[in-house]
Amino acid sequence: MSRQRATAGLGLIVLAAVAVAFPLVFSSPVITNYAVYALIFVAVVSAWNVFSGFSGYISLGHAVFFGSGAYTVGIAARDWHVNGVSVFALLPLAAVVGAVIAVPFGLVALRVRRHTFIVITIAVFFIFQLMAANFSFTGGSVGVAAPFLPWNPTSFNDHFYYITLGCAVAAIVIAVLVRRSRFGLQLRAIRDDEDRARGLGVRTMKVKLTAFVLSATVAGLVGGVWFLYLTQVQPPSGYDPLFDLSLVLMAFLGGLGTISGPVLGALVIEPGQLYLTIRYTNGYLSEILLGALFLLIALFVPRGIVPTAGEWVGRLRTRGRPAVAPVPAQASAPAPSEASEAPAKEARR
Amino acid sequence: MARQIYQAIADGILVGGVYALMAVGLTLIFGVLDIINIAQGVLVILGAYLSYELSVRVHLDLFLGLLITVPAMFVIGVVIQWAFIRRLRGRERTSMTLLVTYAVALIVEGILYEIYGANPKQLNASYVQSSVHLLGFYLSDIYLYGFVLAVAIVVALYAVLYRSTFGRSVRATMQDETAARLIGIDVNRVAAITFGLGIAVTAAGGMVFGATNTFNPNSGYDLISRLLAIIILGGLGSIGGALAASVFMLTVESLVDIWSPEWAIVVFYAALVVVLVVRPTGFFGRPPVRAQ
């Protein structure tokens, strides 16, 4: 056990060193641009996972928080005449706006489950997109532009690389803390059987809403950062339906409800998607390829890379016998890692 | 003003009929297969393009063309179900089907873009531009025909579901899949045919939609979000509910449209949220059965 811990610790240190050194080695703005987008999505998908992955309520409305965070920073900077680097002081406001929107949104949407929940999140998403296009203080279809950042163009991406890296690490740490806490356990109990969880004394609405608001807070903040990086936001880019579906795809590719899965998914999919859109500028072929990728994932690794790979490793170790003896879950010891937890769940089903 | 309101209500009911045509398929698929078919919107557009091909290349009348496009879409639906949806099982099925049908939507949309490009198209026929003066209202011919077609198809679906053996097995599968399997119903066959039927209906919906709106491959997204709102409002799996909700939503939108076209669509989604706060299962929805 301790050897495993030491290996994991060493792995984390190496990973951190690689992450910090990345822009020093690859200094080309073209490459750091990919990295910044990937990290933005690592942060958002980790936040999304804290709610949707752990609770099983698939939200297709996180673009509401992301876009509102972006608009908050833009509108506040414009109306209060905030210039230069001090715009970063507006980021907490973006997080607060994300949280404030999430409370009524969650109170309405979390009353229903499964498909109906998904569709309500879509409906709220469209309401926000249309409001952004119709109100005058959001700049209508023109949108809002960010104030000029007095940074050297060659190091512009590097600054944002470290900012988004910070966001991504913070989001992952939040996800780890939630997963290990009693709160995280309650969320996963809701995912497995909400009625039974309620019967056992979990205050389901409170738990779900807390996770929703927490998730929205991070998404709002990262939306603000994204806006400052892109320097502009319009209704269709801030409230982008593809954004939500990308989150779902990333989480599913990696493994829904695990910590490392969505991160891995974001690191694979976002640069890939970006590359395809840049490579095939008409966008049609990239759509077909993306759709084909979706299908391959859904049909061949339906539970995601991380759980599936964990199973393979487990099978190798035990030479073909099941990794976990099929005993009732209550009797089995707490799973030491995410990887060996998946088969245990399967056995119980 | 009163005239405008009556006209708006008449328009809303007629347009609602067209949306019902598209929503009925979606809610039927949900009821039997327990999935939300995100691709429905794009498949409606595919149906519109098929009608477009027939009317431009072969000069076939739009309504006669349905005799070809409806079976074609049925086959496409069965193939999609057989190839992708049949394989999905297990706990994450709800979200996986979302991904799979979205993937199908992306692929179909991409192919349509490759063939037709992004320029908007519209179906044309002698009755598309004309209108009749009826009881003091100006009613567009195509909407009238479309409405009649919608009513005919919904009645036909009702007849199939409530007056035939196949319909009985569909309803049994809707109520309890395991029990249906136990009494000897071939659930896989029912699922494939239902999915095909749900898609086939969109061919008719797509034709009327294409004749009353301009469309390009991207139009499917706006459509699917409206259709989802409609079937949730009507109560998932309820065909009559889909019909009522289409007419209700489109009438509301049409009424708000008099006052402000920009906010009409916002009201459309807001109406859904408000109704669900009061009644989480929609107009005619059954209370959710506890899944085990």
Side-chain angles (χ1 to χ4, degrees):
Chain A
M1 203 63 212
S2 67
R3 220 182 87 204
Q4 221 174 22
R5 273 241 167 120
T7 324
L10 199 69
L12 271 183
I13 291 170
V14 171
L15 211 61
V18 169
V20 171
F22 184 84
L24 305 176
V25 180
F26 301 98
S27 55
S28 151
V30 178
I31 294 183
T32 42
N33 179 46
Y34 281 104
V36 168
Y37 273 107
L39 287 171
I40 285 174
F41 271 90
V42 167
V44 182
V45 80
S46 294
W48 181 87
N49 191 43
V50 165
F51 171 70
S52 289
F54 293 169
S55 76
Y57 279 73
I58 303 298
S59 160
L60 287 183
H62 265 56
V64 167
F65 314 125
F66 189 77
S68 302
Y71 267 106
T72 304
V73 173
I75 291 166
R78 185 191 66 196
D79 290 357
W80 299 342
H81 306 292
V82 184
N83 280 312
V85 184
S86 50
V87 286
F88 284 98
L90 296 171
L91 288 177
L93 189 64
V96 169
V97 167
V100 166
I101 293 172
V103 173
F105 184 176
L107 281 174
V108 171
L110 289 168
R111 289 158 44 101
V112 293
R113 297 181 191 176
R114 303 185 66 223
H115 301 94
T116 316
F117 174 80
I118 297 174
V119 173
I120 290 203
T121 59
I122 297 176
V124 173
F125 162 80
F126 274 102
I127 291 176
F128 271 80
Q129 192 195 51
L130 291 160
M131 285 203 300
N134 289 346
F135 277 124
S136 58
F137 73 92
T138 56
S141 57
V142 182
V144 187
F148 177 73
L149 284 172
W151 286 341
N152 186 349
T154 49
S155 62
F156 186 87
N157 281 7
D158 293 352
H159 287 292
F160 271 99
Y161 177 86
Y162 289 112
I163 293 166
T164 49
L165 183 64
C167 292
V169 170
I172 295 170
V173 168
I174 289 174
V176 171
L177 291 179
V178 168
R179 199 185 151 86
R180 288 189 177 169
S181 67
R182 182 183 156 78
F183 170 59
L185 206 57
Q186 291 174 330
L187 273 176
R188 278 178 289 156
I190 289 174
R191 177 183 68 183
D192 286 345
D193 191 333
E194 183 162 348
D195 296 317
R196 190 173 293 165
R198 205 219 296 266
L200 292 173
V202 177
R203 295 165 87 181
T204 49
M205 189 63 188
K206 197 177 129 198
V207 170
K208 287 187 292 186
L209 189 64
T210 312
F212 195 60
V213 172
L214 180 65
S215 179
T217 311
V218 178
L221 178 89
V222 180
V225 174
W226 168 80
F227 165 69
L228 291 176
Y229 179 64
L230 201 69
T231 70
Q232 56 180 333
V233 59
Q234 290 98 16
S237 68
Y239 302 102
D240 180 3
L242 270 176
F243 172 88
D244 288 313
L245 284 151
S246 299
L247 293 184
V248 179
L249 181 64
M250 287 164 187
F252 268 92
L253 174 67
L256 192 70
T258 63
I259 301 291
S260 52
V263 175
L264 190 70
L267 289 178
V268 172
I269 288 175
E270 182 52 25
Q273 217 166 339
L274 208 56
Y275 173 77
L276 283 177
T277 10
I278 293 171
R279 175 86 173 64
Y280 304 102
T281 39
N282 68 9
Y284 312 141
L285 193 60
S286 73
E287 265 188 30
I288 299 177
L289 289 174
L290 192 66
L293 179 68
F294 270 41
L295 282 180
L296 289 178
I297 293 169
L299 297 179
F300 294 109
V301 269
R303 286 188 299 114
I305 292 175
V306 171
T308 311
E311 231 170 79
W312 284 344
V313 172
R315 218 176 287 160
L316 272 182
R317 270 201 204 135
T318 54
R319 298 196 189 107
R321 291 190 303 275
V324 174
V327 288
Q330 288 86 350
S332 70
S337 71
E338 299 163 14
S340 58
E341 192 187 291
K345 265 194 211 112
E346 277 308 294
R348 195 178 53 167
R349 279 266 138 190
Chain B
M1 191 61 200
R3 268 206 71 71
Q4 259 183 315
I5 289 174
Y6 290 135
Q7 178 75 42
I9 292 174
D11 286 348
I13 291 171
L14 288 184
V15 182
V18 178
Y19 275 83
L21 210 47
M22 305 183 259
V24 161
L26 195 58
T27 206
L28 187 68
I29 288 173
F30 175 87
V32 175
L33 286 89
D34 193 33
I35 65 167
I36 283 193
N37 179 22
I38 298 281
Q40 195 87 357
V42 179
L43 291 172
V44 168
I45 300 301
L46 176 65
Y49 272 109
L50 286 181
S51 291
Y52 176 80
E53 277 294 304
L54 285 177
S55 78
V56 170
R57 296 261 160 97
V58 201
H59 302 292
L60 203 60
D61 179 77
L62 291 178
F63 283 88
L64 279 181
L66 288 182
L67 293 178
I68 299 172
T69 58
V70 169
M73 294 299 283
F74 178 82
V75 172
I76 291 176
V78 171
V79 168
I80 291 175
Q81 199 276 337
W82 180 82
F84 307 123
I85 291 164
R86 187 175 54 112
R87 293 163 204 271
L88 300 172
R89 296 242 151 64
R91 196 173 65 173
E92 310 293 2
R93 190 168 173 275
T94 308
S95 1
M96 284 323 270
T97 50
L98 209 69
L99 270 189
V100 167
T101 54
Y102 179 61
V104 171
L106 272 180
I107 293 174
V108 173
E109 187 199 351
I111 293 172
L112 286 177
Y113 263 126
E114 285 291 335
I115 300 173
Y116 297 101
N119 286 337
K121 301 244 187 313
Q122 187 164 10
L123 300 176
N124 218 334
S126 57
Y127 39 80
V128 167
Q129 307 292 342
S130 63
S131 60
V132 289
H133 195 86
L134 201 73
L135 303 171
F137 300 121
Y138 282 101
L139 300 175
S140 167
D141 279 352
I142 180 71
Y143 274 118
L144 272 181
Y145 296 163
F147 188 77
V148 171
L149 182 71
V151 170
I153 287 185
V154 171
V155 167
L157 268 182
Y158 244 106
V160 168
L161 282 179
Y162 287 89
R163 292 285 178 272
S164 75
T165 319
F166 171 71
R168 200 167 294 141
S169 44
V170 169
R171 282 183 292 136
T173 314
M174 276 168 123
Q175 279 172 8
D176 191 331
E177 195 192 310
T178 316
R181 211 185 281 272
L182 280 174
I183 57 168
I185 292 172
D186 186 350
V187 174
N188 286 327
R189 188 172 144 266
V190 167
I193 294 179
T194 310
F195 199 87
L197 274 181
I199 303 297
V201 173
T202 64
M207 188 277 283
V208 183
F209 180 81
T212 50
N213 297 274
T214 58
F215 57 93
N216 73 3
N218 198 22
S219 313
Y221 294 109
D222 179 44
L223 213 48
I224 185 62
S225 37
R226 283 158 171 259
L227 295 181
L228 286 175
I230 286 171
I231 66 162
I232 295 275
L233 187 70
L236 280 169
S238 158
I239 290 177
L243 193 63
S246 309
V247 172
F248 172 76
M249 292 283 245
L250 270 299
T251 308
V252 168
E253 191 186 341
S254 171
L255 281 173
V256 181
D257 195 72
I258 302 175
W259 163 66
S260 155
E262 294 87 38
W263 289 101
I265 178 74
V266 176
V267 171
F268 185 93
Y269 293 113
L272 171 74
V273 175
V274 169
V275 170
L276 285 180
V277 169
V278 182
R279 207 181 141 75
T281 51
F283 288 160
F284 299 101
R286 289 171 300 171
V289 183
R290 188 170 170 225
Q292 249 331 318

